[in-house]
Amino acid sequence: MTGAPPGTPSTRSSPSSSRGTGPPDVSSLAHPPLAEPPRNPVTTSSHLDRTSVSQRRDPSVPASSLPRTVTSARTDAPEELSPDAVLPWDQGEPPAPPRESATALPWRPPRDGHRPRALVSAEGSADFDMGRFAGWLRDAGVLDTGPIELPGATVTLPYGMRLMRRFDTLVRSVYEDHAYEEYDYPLLVPSSVLEPSRSLMSLDGALVFAGDDEDWDAGRKRMVLTPTGEAAVYTHWAQMVRTARDLPIRAYRRTRYFRPARAGRSVFRAIEALDVYEFQACFADGPAAREGFTDAVAMARRLCTEMHVPVLWATRPPWTNNTGVSEVTIGGDVPLPRGTTIQVGCVYQQGDRFSSLYGVGHREDGVLHNTHHVTGALTRRLVLMHLLLGMDSQGELLVHPDLAPVQVAVTLSGGDVDERTGAHALVKRLRQLGVTAELQIAERKQVGRIHQRWRRQGVPLRVYLQPRRSPADRTRAVVVRADTRHEAVLLTDDAAQLAELLPPALAEVGTGYLVRTREFVRRMSRPADSADTVREVLAARGVAVAPLRATREVVTAVGSWGLGEVLGLRRMQHPAPCVVTGRPTFTSAYISPRR
């Protein structure tokens, strides 16, 4: 195929090459069962109680390790977290890479010898750059950050919209399986709606205001574009909740967040954050809310698992995060090729902190009992990280079949009436099998450009149907998988016969995606059993996983090294010496390098 891009399979040289010991006849291939890539089972965390408080300074922390001043988001944060307040180890460990599935087709390396190098491989990581990543997304038709000159302002392109519809379907399915119902709230609220929140967190410089000419002339900040949904939701709940019979409430919505950003075109940081799937739950008391919190963590983890994004889940340390908004915060982070991390999800156990400010409560015997809230969000960052983790070093995507808008893309170059009928029958049969398929019938000189676009968009399987050259010839099908670019050449009298063979091949590509992404996260999350080893991991731009006492002084001591920060803490089954104090601890930490 003259002029075809690298990795495009060649056409046969003569009719005779389609016979004898060449490509196998479709009818001769066994039909293996569709093998689903193994998924990490969703488990729920154990009961998360309130943190215990120890007011004594930890004498085992070396004085030289401590910063001169220790600041925290709240003065009432505990000096030490009880292990029971930390997410268990089995709730935070990234899933193991799956075993390679059985071969579904007679794959062979591409004839041009070009094998993709994953962007997240040790060699490909050197090619990673946020600006280049944004450019590759534009080239794939996902999004464009160029036209609108505001920080992170994004035009979502047609292929990006198709990906977001797939994500939207997954989110709604998972949330509603956990009994959350969809609501919608205005994005524009009066400034007064946010005033109660000021006692929990600073809003100075954190709001984007809106108004008309009269407002600006009068210096009046009348309206705010919501930075999160709590203010609008809790204002509504204050009128909605009267008795315990009105509870629980489990609500979610697809929304946008507006937060100031001064510069930059990063797809991960914008004034207007798109596709935020926020959830809030309202419970009558603390025990019910803790159960709801456990369920919300399981829900968030399940969605990430179904998106095939390996996430490091952990309890945020209260001394380096804004704990004014919650009693316990769980964060989900994904490593980037250069070692820093991106938060893709969060869950907050808020207790009655907001309900007491917004007057949300139910009355019993004339006494108002404030409700207890659980909230959190997962966003389009999950989609972006799915694309980044699957991308190769030349910017071509690999999309897992579960998220791919098109799972199998088929071209037929020319062909007679019977061959065109067979191509349509193939796509129809694939759709009957639950496979999303697309067919393009084009002249031979156009087929290369069509496949180049599909390859850049990470379509899992691409199929070239090459028409017969003589009545005695057979239709030749070249199947190309996106993860390795390996090809399988098949012969058939009826293109529709291919349909039964392609779902198992899709499962192979899905396994290839999981191997690529999970091996990357495992490689980036490196065990460390001493302070020196932690420093070495951080210097090498990895995420250190180290035993660490869950105390204010130990966490701030790590930050004082100037190399990284404690992302979160997890509870271990067995004690190990803390890398800072040497004392036994039941908690482990993810420590990420600084930007």
Side-chain angles (χ1 to χ4, degrees):
M1 200 169 290
T2 306
T8 302
S10 304
T11 57
R12 59 179 177 232
S13 57
S14 67
S16 62
S17 67
S18 62
R19 293 190 176 91
T21 58
D25 188 329
V26 169
S27 61
S28 69
L29 292 176
H31 293 187
L34 176 60
E36 277 249 349
R39 292 178 179 247
N40 194 39
V42 176
T43 56
T44 58
S45 64
S46 65
H47 187 76
L48 294 177
D49 294 316
R50 289 179 179 266
T51 55
S52 65
V53 181
S54 169
Q55 298 298 331
R56 294 181 299 168
R57 189 180 79 83
D58 188 344
S60 59
V61 180
S64 60
S65 299
L66 295 176
R68 293 188 179 182
T69 60
V70 177
T71 60
S72 63
R74 283 174 61 88
T75 57
D76 62 345
E79 295 299 312
E80 180 171 5
L81 294 184
S82 162
D84 288 340
V86 177
L87 197 66
W89 178 266
D90 63 355
Q91 290 290 297
E93 188 175 14
R99 295 180 180 179
E100 296 282 357
S101 56
T103 299
L105 296 177
W107 302 111
R108 66 186 187 190
R111 295 188 183 185
D112 63 4
H114 177 74
R115 184 183 176 101
R117 184 176 66 181
L119 182 64
V120 295
S121 66
E123 302 81 12
S125 295
D127 298 317
F128 176 73
D129 173 84
M130 277 296 184
R132 187 177 297 173
F133 175 56
W136 287 335
L137 293 177
R138 181 193 61 238
D139 295 343
V142 177
L143 55 82
D144 190 351
T145 61
I148 310 300
E149 294 187 358
L150 281 175
T154 298
V155 177
T156 305
L157 303 174
Y159 190 63
M161 293 301 298
R162 296 177 75 181
L163 286 164
M164 286 310 306
R165 283 198 294 271
R166 298 285 288 179
F167 179 51
D168 182 80
T169 299
L170 279 173
V171 174
R172 293 177 190 278
S173 174
V174 171
Y175 281 14
E176 291 174 12
D177 275 355
H178 286 256
Y180 282 78
E181 297 180 294
E182 186 173 14
Y183 287 69
D184 195 19
Y185 287 89
L187 301 179
L188 202 61
V189 299
S191 301
S192 59
V193 168
L194 284 107
E195 284 305 310
S197 301
R198 288 187 182 274
S199 64
L200 295 178
M201 54 186 171
S202 173
L203 297 179
D204 296 337
L207 301 178
V208 177
F209 292 92
D212 57 23
D213 289 344
E214 291 184 5
D215 293 323
W216 303 134
D217 291 343
R220 183 171 54 235
K221 298 177 179 179
R222 184 162 59 97
M223 295 176 288
V224 176
L225 288 164
T226 53
T228 63
E230 283 99 340
V233 173
Y234 298 162
T235 299
H236 175 220
W237 285 356
Q239 298 183 20
M240 182 178 176
V241 178
R242 290 291 179 266
T243 72
R245 292 189 297 275
D246 298 323
L247 303 170
I249 302 170
R250 294 182 179 89
Y252 79 90
R253 64 173 183 151
R254 181 178 182 177
T255 188
R256 301 180 178 206
Y257 285 168
F258 297 87
R259 298 171 181 177
R262 297 299 178 192
R265 295 293 183 90
S266 171
V267 297
F268 293 110
R269 179 173 172 79
I271 289 178
E272 182 180 7
L274 307 177
D275 300 307
V276 178
Y277 288 84
E278 184 183 64
F279 57 87
Q280 280 102 7
C282 183
F283 299 94
D285 54 35
R290 285 192 287 273
E291 288 185 15
F293 180 70
T294 297
D295 180 69
V297 173
M299 180 176 73
R301 293 190 66 242
R302 175 185 167 191
L303 180 58
C304 294
T305 299
E306 296 203 8
M307 281 292 294
H308 305 294
V309 177
V311 177
L312 308 178
W313 291 98
T315 302
R316 294 285 190 237
W319 314 286
T320 54
N321 288 267
N322 181 9
T323 56
V325 299
S326 67
E327 297 172 350
V328 181
T329 301
I330 303 295
D333 304 282
V334 183
L336 294 171
R338 294 291 179 86
T340 53
T341 57
I342 287 290
Q343 177 176 293
V344 296
C346 55
V347 185
Y348 300 94
Q349 182 177 314
Q350 292 186 330
D352 60 0
R353 298 185 179 199
F354 280 90
S355 63
S356 60
L357 296 173
Y358 281 88
V360 186
H362 58 93
R363 290 192 176 275
E364 291 182 17
D365 300 324
V367 178
L368 178 66
H369 299 270
N370 288 120
T371 52
H372 289 243
H373 298 171
V374 172
T375 187
L378 294 116
T379 75
R380 72 154 50 188
R381 284 184 173 190
L382 265 177
V383 177
L384 296 175
M385 288 307 302
H386 181 105
L387 300 180
L388 189 152
L389 294 178
M391 186 174 276
D392 73 17
S393 60
Q394 298 303 307
E396 294 183 348
L397 301 179
L398 167 62
V399 183
H400 191 285
D402 288 349
L403 188 65
V406 178
Q407 296 169 316
V408 177
V410 184
T411 57
L412 173 64
S413 53
D416 57 28
V417 173
D418 289 342
E419 289 169 318
R420 292 184 178 215
T421 300
H424 282 289
L426 167 61
V427 171
K428 180 179 179 180
R429 178 58 183 150
L430 285 169
R431 290 171 180 169
Q432 290 172 343
L433 294 172
V435 175
T436 57
E438 183 176 310
L439 171 64
Q440 293 275 354
I441 298 177
E443 296 300 319
R444 182 175 173 179
K445 62 183 179 181
Q446 298 175 317
V447 166
R449 290 195 295 272
I450 293 170
H451 278 270
Q452 184 178 28
R453 171 171 56 85
W454 283 339
R455 192 180 70 189
R456 182 161 287 279
Q457 292 177 340
V459 175
L461 288 179
R462 294 180 286 115
V463 181
Y464 296 74
L465 294 178
Q466 299 167 357
R468 297 184 293 268
R469 293 187 175 182
S470 71
D473 206 351
R474 313 180 74 187
T475 298
R476 189 172 191 259
V478 182
V479 184
V480 184
R481 53 188 291 179
D483 57 329
T484 63
R485 307 273 164 76
H486 278 51
E487 305 171 3
V489 183
L490 309 172
L491 302 176
T492 182
D493 293 317
D494 180 4
Q497 293 179 357
L498 293 169
E500 309 296 332
L501 300 174
L502 297 182
L506 271 178
E508 283 191 78
V509 178
T511 299
Y513 179 91
L514 296 180
V515 169
R516 178 181 296 188
T517 59
R518 293 182 181 181
E519 283 185 349
F520 163 71
V521 172
R522 284 290 180 107
R523 176 169 56 82
M524 294 298 293
S525 307
R526 306 172 195 173
D529 58 5
S530 69
D532 288 341
T533 308
V534 171
R535 292 186 177 97
E536 291 172 3
V537 171
L538 296 177
R541 308 301 293 173
V543 177
V545 185
L548 198 77
R549 293 198 68 202
T551 70
R552 181 197 302 272
E553 289 184 290
V554 168
V555 169
T556 52
V558 171
S560 73
W561 298 345
L563 297 173
E565 60 181 345
V566 176
L567 281 178
L569 302 158
R570 299 189 334 200
R571 184 170 74 246
M572 300 186 296
Q573 291 183 335
H574 305 288
C578 171
V579 296
V580 173
T581 68
R583 296 176 59 185
T585 180
F586 277 91
T587 52
S588 178
Y590 288 123
I591 307 172
S592 172
R594 291 196 186 280
R595 302 180 188 281

